[in-house]
Amino acid sequence: MAKLTTDELIDAFKELTLIELSEFVKAFEETFDVTAAAPVAVAGPAAAGGGEAEAEEEKTEFDVVLEAAGDKKIQVIKEVRALTSLGLKEAKDLVDGAPKAVLEGANKETAEKAKAQLEGAGATVTLK
């Protein structure tokens, strides 16, 4: 059998349907005793093996937690509504029920911007 180049393989895969490609991947995994998710599994233990300070530096998702509304509760409710898709009642309930997460899984830039907006309105906020 002639050896196929990478480009020839890619062209062959382009002709397959998604179901055929999925069946190919399963057969490939069984034949070579590998999984398509192996790189993700390898990255998990490597990150866990590092020190605690190293894990903090690599954190990419943050939760913006409203600790207290402060004196300007109405301004804080307005900011919560601006940051989320919550209605007035839901935003008021969130502020009244502090400490609660306003945003979950936000990237660092978004989380810091939200924290600054809420603190500017008089709230006490932490990033976790």
Side-chain angles (χ1 to χ4, degrees):
M1 179 176 181
K3 187 174 181 180
L4 297 175
T5 66
T6 303
D7 291 334
E8 291 171 332
L9 284 170
I10 296 294
D11 289 337
F13 290 138
K14 286 180 182 177
E15 295 175 14
L16 297 176
T17 65
L18 289 176
I19 293 172
E20 292 170 333
L21 189 56
S22 174
E23 290 170 355
F24 168 77
V25 170
K26 288 178 187 174
F28 185 89
E29 289 174 343
E30 289 173 8
T31 302
F32 295 102
D33 194 29
V34 295
T35 61
V40 175
V42 171
E52 186 66 32
E54 184 178 64
E56 280 295 319
E57 291 175 15
E58 295 177 11
K59 189 172 182 179
T60 58
E61 291 187 350
F62 296 87
D63 293 342
V64 180
V65 179
L66 176 69
E67 297 293 336
D71 296 337
K72 300 177 185 176
K73 185 174 169 183
I74 293 172
Q75 294 299 325
V76 174
I77 292 171
K78 287 180 181 179
E79 290 300 329
V80 168
R81 289 191 68 203
L83 293 169
T84 65
S85 60
L86 296 176
L88 180 61
K89 181 179 181 339
E90 292 84 4
K92 181 183 180 300
D93 291 344
L94 188 146
V95 172
D96 288 340
K100 281 199 174 178
V102 177
L103 296 175
E104 294 179 338
N107 64 31
K108 185 175 183 176
E109 180 181 322
T110 304
E112 288 178 351
K113 186 183 273 188
K115 180 180 179 186
Q117 284 179 299
L118 289 167
E119 287 178 341
T124 305
V125 182
T126 59
L127 296 180
K128 294 186 179 181

